[in-house]
Amino acid sequence: MPGMALLSYPLLGLSLLSVLAAALLVAALHFWQGAPAWRKIPRAQERREIVLQQMAALAQRLREQEPGLDPKPILELPLVKLAQKLQAEELSLESALCSYLEEEALKVQEVNYLTDFLGECEKELQALKKLRKSERGLLYGVPISLKDPYDCMGHDSTCGLAQFLETAEDRVIVKVLKAQGAILVKTNIPQALLSSECSNPIYGQTPNALNFKKTPGGSLRGEGALLAARGSILGIGTNTGGSICIPASFCGVCGLQTTGNHLSYSAVATAVKGKKSVSTVAGPMAWDVGSLVLSMALLSKDMHQLDPTVPFVPFREAVYSSNRPLWIGYYELDGYAEPSPRMARAVRLTSRLLQDAGHEVIPFSVPRIEYAILHLCQADLYADGGATLLQKLEGDIVDLSIKKVVSILRLPNPVKCLLAWILKYIEYQQEFLAQRKSLDLDVLLAPSLDPAFCMGCASKASESVSYSTLYNLLNFPVGVVPVTTVTLQDQEELAFYKAYYRDSNDRNFPEIIKGSVGLPVAAQCIALPWEEELCLWFMKEVETMANNHREPRWFPMEWAISSPGDLPTSSSTSAPDALSTSHKYHIHVTSPPPGSSPIYLSIYLSIYLSIYLSIYLSVLVGA
């Protein structure tokens, strides 16, 4: 059989060549199919430049109609007041639109928040002016903003993914907002909505409007940045693992994560569909709680009619307007991620103010938090081993903010059984509810992830989102309310920060929140499913008490004396009361750090008295 052996050699060579040719063909087909995705990006960027020019041109035309318009008083109006003035025709629709367009055109250069401008708003404005007063909606002529994934007719809903660069039609929430008279822009998001950064290959990176070195957080970060910059008065977004709560905290605004399916999520673009345990929900963000109340009242009204899968749940004004004392559970740490000093301080401050106001405040501990985060939240988000997400990223540029997640998902993984996780989720939810019921609690008060992370650092401490992700798992409504700001003492206490696991996430956390003095710190207000009105009432209580409370600040000795020109202004977050001793100098009488020893206090007071007498004598001698 030597002849057959010799014959097999050319056949073997031919087989190898065939396999190689097939491999090259598959690679070529893969490249041919994948390349168009990222090739769409330059077109999308050019389109955004065009709509920005259209926005500036419309603002200019409106300005020419009202050359004497002062936008500042309009931009300072809260949503409820602005809506009232537009309804009563005390303010023209053109004035409101012009004021916000000019501000948005200015802020987009600084903050890069915008992905699209709905240029048809000019025609919509003219149509609104023809309506009779009885036909006007609650948001008649109010300019608001919308998170990128919401489908709007003729506009992209990208999720930061090149595959999604296709125009869409108006969906349920957009129809409700337009019917109420709102005028919209769309705001930036992270790629695939899966990072606490705000960066994607299409529209780039969005910084925090309060500090350009910090991220606005969430995935609703374009909204957070725009609201913080006062370029929008109301934003509508979505929340899976903190996408509303985290940017609200980082940007110092209010946000409401609703119960799953309270507001329609129909046809909202998403990179990972089919999640069962960790609910993705819709919700509003605004400057204050009153604006959230107005938005929930109008969104709840027509939701069921437009989307029959959403239960008919009209807003219960009687629950929101109640004034009975609440039983409030609170915790300073969840047992999974160690809070920053200012996170714990915000909860202590708020719980004390609530107790002083007559509410019952009771300690609460989160049951089995590690199991909830690792075995329920993360398992549900990637129950398919990340296959859906990886498919959406084919042929696309992977943004740096999610490269770590994508790299992990591309490793070989065992197949996960989704049904098993759903059953375990139900067990955990019942366990959490039972612990809460045993204390007869109405609501919970919890830390909110704060302060804003440095830009590009979110992936270094991703586990800290446990404070917000837990309530997506439980499907509880959550509100975020700013209650205080970061102080120098908070910053100094980071040196003593201790964590649970001492892993890279824990070690990185203090580093990524440094340099945050003056940035906002919030608290989370949590109610049971379908109790949004109670959640909003609790938020209003917290907001009112935080606004009425002026927290004593502590400053280092080098700030003790300054010339009037060097004093912090009233807009500064760290300006204490000052005592004037002459036309040249001010002495800042501030509180020493809490918990100071008697010896420290005596030294502290002696130094201040010595400085005071020295300046007083120098003034007498000079006189």
Side-chain angles (χ1 to χ4, degrees):
M1 308 289 283
M4 291 297 293
L6 290 170
L7 186 63
S8 66
Y9 285 111
L11 287 175
L12 180 62
L14 187 62
S15 299
L16 289 172
L17 284 172
S18 299
V19 170
L20 181 61
L24 289 171
L25 180 62
V26 168
L29 285 171
H30 181 76
F31 177 79
W32 181 79
Q33 290 175 342
W38 58 261
R39 284 179 178 172
K40 293 178 182 178
I41 291 176
R43 290 204 308 270
Q45 293 170 340
E46 289 172 9
R47 180 175 174 176
R48 186 175 71 154
E49 290 303 314
I50 291 170
V51 300
L52 286 176
Q53 292 169 12
Q54 292 173 349
M55 185 169 74
L58 176 56
Q60 181 62 32
R61 288 198 298 275
L62 293 171
R63 168 58 68 179
E64 289 170 359
Q65 293 175 25
E66 298 188 53
L69 174 67
D70 180 7
K72 187 177 179 181
I74 297 173
L75 296 173
E76 290 176 349
L77 288 172
L79 176 61
V80 175
K81 291 285 187 185
L82 177 62
Q84 288 173 350
K85 285 183 175 291
L86 290 170
Q87 290 275 3
E89 298 181 1
E90 296 175 19
L91 189 66
S92 71
L93 301 185
E94 290 86 354
S95 297
L97 183 57
C98 179
S99 298
Y100 274 93
L101 282 180
E102 287 182 340
E103 192 69 11
E104 287 166 358
L106 176 65
K107 299 302 181 187
V108 77
Q109 303 301 326
E110 300 174 354
V111 186
N112 186 38
Y113 68 88
L114 183 139
T115 63
D116 206 348
F117 166 63
L118 278 64
E120 60 270 24
C121 69
E122 189 173 12
K123 291 181 180 178
E124 290 172 1
L125 182 142
Q126 298 305 321
L128 287 173
K129 291 174 69 176
K130 296 176 183 177
L131 295 176
R132 294 191 295 270
K133 284 192 175 183
S134 59
E135 298 174 327
R136 296 172 182 173
L138 287 174
L139 291 179
Y140 173 71
V142 174
I144 71 169
S145 48
L146 199 66
K147 186 177 180 179
D148 169 270
Y150 280 102
D151 287 350
C152 298
M153 184 178 291
H155 298 271
D156 296 326
S157 301
T158 70
C159 293
L161 296 164
Q163 273 195 33
F164 286 12
L165 281 169
E166 296 177 0
T167 55
E169 297 181 357
D170 286 348
R171 298 300 179 176
V172 175
I173 283 186
V174 175
K175 287 179 179 178
V176 172
L177 292 170
K178 285 188 174 181
Q180 292 290 338
I183 297 169
L184 312 171
V185 296
K186 297 184 76 174
T187 53
N188 203 18
I189 34 73
Q191 190 174 38
L193 313 180
L194 288 175
S195 170
S196 293
E197 292 293 332
C198 188
S199 178
N200 64 73
I202 306 171
Y203 302 116
Q205 192 171 50
T206 300
N208 192 317
L210 304 178
N211 183 333
F212 290 173
K213 294 180 180 179
K214 300 287 184 176
T215 176
S219 72
L220 196 58
R221 49 218 53 159
E223 289 294 330
L226 183 57
L227 284 162
R230 290 301 195 257
S232 175
I233 199 166
L234 174 69
I236 306 294
T238 62
N239 191 103
T240 298
S243 301
I244 290 174
C245 298
I246 294 174
S249 276
F250 283 11
C251 298
V253 296
C254 297
L256 178 67
Q257 166 192 321
T258 61
T259 307
N261 214 36
H262 190 126
L263 301 177
S264 176
Y265 197 68
S266 170
V268 177
T270 177
V272 184
K273 290 188 177 182
K275 300 182 296 296
K276 298 298 181 184
S277 300
V278 182
S279 305
T280 297
V281 302
M285 287 173 65
W287 299 350
D288 53 39
V289 177
S291 301
L292 299 181
V293 172
L294 177 63
S295 64
M296 285 301 296
L298 72 90
L299 287 171
S300 301
K301 185 179 178 182
D302 301 319
M303 200 60 57
H304 176 72
Q305 184 178 353
L306 290 167
D307 184 356
T309 66
V310 175
F312 178 63
V313 187
F315 189 81
R316 296 169 294 175
E317 178 63 34
V319 176
Y320 173 69
S321 301
S322 174
N323 58 5
R324 67 179 176 85
L326 294 170
W327 281 64
I328 302 166
Y330 78 97
Y331 59 92
E332 294 180 23
L333 62 167
D334 64 3
Y336 183 77
E338 182 75 14
S340 64
R342 67 292 312 262
M343 288 167 65
R345 181 172 62 80
V347 172
R348 287 196 299 271
L349 167 66
T350 307
S351 60
R352 176 169 58 81
L353 294 174
L354 289 165
Q355 195 166 27
D356 292 345
H359 300 287
E360 193 71 29
V361 180
I362 303 161
F364 180 85
S365 61
V366 179
R368 296 199 295 156
I369 181 68
E370 184 175 301
Y371 169 76
I373 299 299
L374 294 178
H375 296 279
L376 299 180
C377 292
Q378 293 184 10
D380 181 68
L381 284 171
Y382 304 111
D384 63 350
T388 303
L389 175 61
L390 293 175
Q391 187 272 326
K392 297 292 191 301
L393 287 166
E394 283 184 10
D396 204 345
I397 300 167
V398 178
D399 193 80
L400 186 63
S401 63
I402 65 166
K403 270 194 174 178
K404 182 179 177 181
V405 172
V406 172
S407 298
I408 292 170
L409 292 177
R410 282 175 173 162
L411 295 172
N413 290 309
V415 177
K416 300 176 181 70
C417 180
L418 181 58
L419 180 59
W421 293 122
I422 294 173
L423 292 173
K424 290 180 180 180
Y425 149 71
I426 294 170
E427 292 172 6
Y428 181 76
Q429 187 187 50
Q430 293 304 315
E431 180 182 346
F432 192 99
L433 288 169
Q435 182 158 334
R436 179 175 171 146
K437 189 175 182 181
S438 69
L439 298 172
D440 199 24
L441 301 177
D442 294 307
V443 287
L444 280 174
L445 177 72
S448 187
L449 181 59
D450 280 308
F453 295 170
C454 64
M455 293 281 282
C457 298
S459 62
K460 296 179 180 179
S462 55
E463 301 296 337
S464 55
V465 300
S466 62
Y467 285 93
S468 53
T469 304
L470 175 65
Y471 295 102
N472 276 97
L473 173 71
L474 293 168
N475 196 24
F476 286 8
V478 180
V480 170
V481 183
V483 295
T484 183
T485 56
V486 180
T487 64
L488 281 167
Q489 186 178 356
D490 291 329
Q491 199 73 17
E492 289 166 1
E493 286 178 3
L494 278 178
F496 308 102
Y497 178 83
K498 292 181 180 179
Y500 292 104
Y501 300 99
R502 309 292 175 90
D503 59 7
S504 60
N505 273 275
D506 287 345
R507 291 194 299 272
N508 290 333
F509 186 62
E511 292 298 320
I512 68 175
I513 60 173
K514 282 185 176 179
S516 302
V517 173
L519 289 180
V521 181
Q524 292 190 115
C525 304
I526 303 142
L528 290 173
W530 305 104
E531 292 189 356
E532 274 76 4
E533 296 87 352
L534 180 60
C535 184
L536 286 163
W537 169 34
F538 182 30
M539 291 172 69
K540 188 65 178 176
E541 284 283 289
V542 172
E543 180 185 57
T544 301
M545 291 169 196
N547 288 342
N548 292 338
H549 173 75
R550 186 169 189 181
E551 195 176 4
R553 313 278 184 179
W554 174 69
F555 301 91
M557 189 56 64
E558 60 264 24
W559 283 20
I561 303 178
S562 59
S563 64
D566 296 331
L567 283 174
T569 63
S570 59
S571 62
S572 170
T573 54
S574 56
D577 291 326
L579 177 65
S580 177
T581 59
S582 74
H583 65 286
K584 291 183 179 178
Y585 298 103
H586 288 267
I587 294 183
H588 300 251
V589 182
T590 61
S591 302
S596 301
S597 67
I599 296 173
Y600 180 91
L601 289 173
S602 61
I603 295 170
Y604 186 88
L605 291 172
S606 299
I607 293 171
Y608 261 113
L609 287 172
S610 301
I611 294 169
Y612 185 96
L613 289 171
S614 299
I615 293 178
Y616 183 71
L617 290 171
S618 67
V619 170
L620 287 177
V621 171

